[in-house]
Amino acid sequence: MASKRTLGVVLFEGFELLDVFGPLEMFGLAADHFEIRLIAENGGVVASRQGPKSVCDDSFQSAPAIDVLLVPGGIGTRREVNNPVLLNWLKERSQQAELVASVCTGSALLAKAGVLDGLRATSNKLAFTWASSQSEKVQWQQQARWVEDGKVFSSSGVSAGIDMALAVIAKLVSQQAAEEAANFAEYTWQRNANCDPFASVVGVSESA
């Protein structure tokens, strides 16, 4: 069997719990194919928006090569879009990665870092106006559960990251591996990337 891909997840103070651990549940159920590492600017312990803290495996300096880079959202993104250390690291590591994925307002960080220039992407619909304001060089998709453009995946709000993670597993490993992960977790996988009922709920539409 081929060697595992290293999945690096970026944490920062105020990250959204499900943005991280929803996708990681799925990647963890494909553990033969992914080695998961939590990474923060200075390593150590990082508190989520909800309070619970996570212990990181690496700092930006000590992080190994990353095959799949996952960027969550959360209230902390409002601060981190002005953090040049994070933005520069995201840009560098995105260039090196095989695949880059964001959940929720994580796409705002990638946009500000220039990673999404010229690409289609989406974000949390409740925060869509703010996220999309981070760059005019992105083709922001107002109605999408998740978007795949080249090697970059971006998902809508919070739980959409789980559907996106399964799509990534299907792409990098196999459809069977994604199905098995969803079934083990008793999760109803939304396979249609364009199914986005929350866009209309919060008043975001293609004509907006």
Side-chain angles (χ1 to χ4, degrees), residues 143-147 160 163-164 167 189-197:
Q143 288 186 298
R145 184 70 171 165
W146 77 89
V147 173
D163 295 323
M164 180 191 70
W189 177 17
Q190 173 52 259
R191 295 167 178 79
N192 182 358
N194 297 315
C195 181
D196 184 12

Side-chain angles (χ1 to χ4, degrees), residues 165-178 189:
L166 290 167
V168 170
I169 293 170
K171 181 182 180 70
L172 296 181
V173 182
S174 68
Q175 182 74 20
Q176 180 181 352
W189 177 17

Side-chain angles (χ1 to χ4, degrees), residues 111-166:
K112 193 68 177 290
V115 175
L116 302 181
D117 287 2
L119 300 179
R120 293 178 296 109
T122 195
S123 191
N124 186 319
K125 299 311 179 297
L126 285 170
F128 195 85
T129 299
W130 175 80
S132 61
S133 72
Q134 300 308 310
S135 176
E136 296 179 352
K137 298 179 180 179
V138 182
Q139 300 174 42
W140 292 103
Q141 306 298 298
Q142 296 170 311
Q143 288 186 298
R145 184 70 171 165
W146 77 89
V147 173
E148 175 185 358
D149 193 346
K151 71 174 190 179
V152 179
F153 282 68
S154 57
S155 71
S156 185
V158 195
S159 66
I162 302 174
D163 295 323
M164 180 191 70
L166 290 167

Side-chain angles (χ1 to χ4, degrees), residues 7-10 19-20 23-24 27 68-72 100-103 164:
L7 169 65
V9 186
V10 181
D19 286 9
V20 172
L24 289 193
F27 286 114
V68 180
L69 177 64
L70 178 64
V71 184
V100 179
S102 66
V103 182
M164 180 191 70

Side-chain angles (χ1 to χ4, degrees), residues 4 16 45 81 86 105 134 150 156 164 188:
K4 294 182 179 182
E16 191 77 18
V45 177
V81 290
L86 173 66
T105 53
Q134 300 308 310
S156 185
M164 180 191 70
T188 303

